[in-house]
Amino acid sequence: MCRLFFTLLVLATLVSCRESVDEAQVVAQTAQLYYESLLQGRYDEFVGGLDSHVGTSTAYDEQLVANAKMFLEQQQSQKGGISSIAVADAQIDKKRHTADVFLVFTYGDGSSEQVLVPMVEREGVWLMR
């Protein structure tokens, strides 16, 4: 969890310090990091990236972790698991502090799928909605 938080902090610092940084790319990389942490079995980091997680109970967090595990198991049984994640596109609405990130999941069976990850900015941190 600390590693992901540190990475997000560094990305946020880059955005605030350099005007030339593409904020859409930062949001896209953040979404990709959340899903890569899920693939690596770091469920707490993935759940920590959910907006619905903020201010919730331990019991609810445990349910979110169980759901994340079930999602991975389902992907494994149906498509041979997710073998890679790539960013396809990201669009930001700065006024609403929201973004839509499009990730491409490549599966173990060779198929791929584009997935929409809606994001929201809370106190300078991008979270999955």
Side-chain angles (χ1 to χ4, degrees):
M1 182 80 147
C2 289
R3 183 176 5 163
L4 181 63
F5 179 74
F6 178 74
T7 302
L8 294 176
L9 183 62
V10 169
L11 288 172
T13 302
L14 286 173
V15 169
S16 64
C17 293
R18 294 182 44 174
E19 292 179 24
S20 63
V21 173
D22 182 4
E23 193 172 352
Q25 189 61 29
V26 171
V27 176
Q29 289 174 351
T30 301
Q32 184 178 15
L33 280 171
Y34 287 140
Y35 272 93
E36 286 176 353
S37 67
L38 176 64
L39 291 183
Q40 295 168 4
R42 298 191 320 260
Y43 303 108
D44 290 336
E45 289 181 18
F46 178 78
V47 168
L50 295 171
D51 184 44
S52 61
H53 154 79
V54 177
T56 60
S57 68
T58 303
Y60 185 68
D61 287 351
E62 290 171 357
Q63 288 177 334
L64 292 173
V65 167
N67 286 343
K69 289 178 181 179
M70 284 190 293
F71 169 75
L72 282 184
E73 290 170 4
Q74 180 186 35
Q75 299 305 306
Q76 182 64 39
S77 67
Q78 292 179 353
K79 300 178 182 183
I82 301 170
S83 58
S84 68
I85 299 170
V87 173
D89 192 21
Q91 301 164 355
I92 292 181
D93 183 339
K94 290 184 180 187
K95 288 183 181 181
R96 294 186 177 152
H97 300 275
T98 61
D100 288 327
V101 177
F102 298 90
L103 298 177
V104 176
F105 290 0
T106 302
Y107 296 99
D109 66 3
S111 65
S112 63
E113 174 178 31
Q114 188 169 359
V115 177
L116 169 64
V117 182
M119 305 283 285
V120 63
E121 185 182 25
R122 301 272 187 235
E123 299 178 8
V125 177
W126 286 98
L127 300 170
M128 297 177 287
R129 281 192 280 160

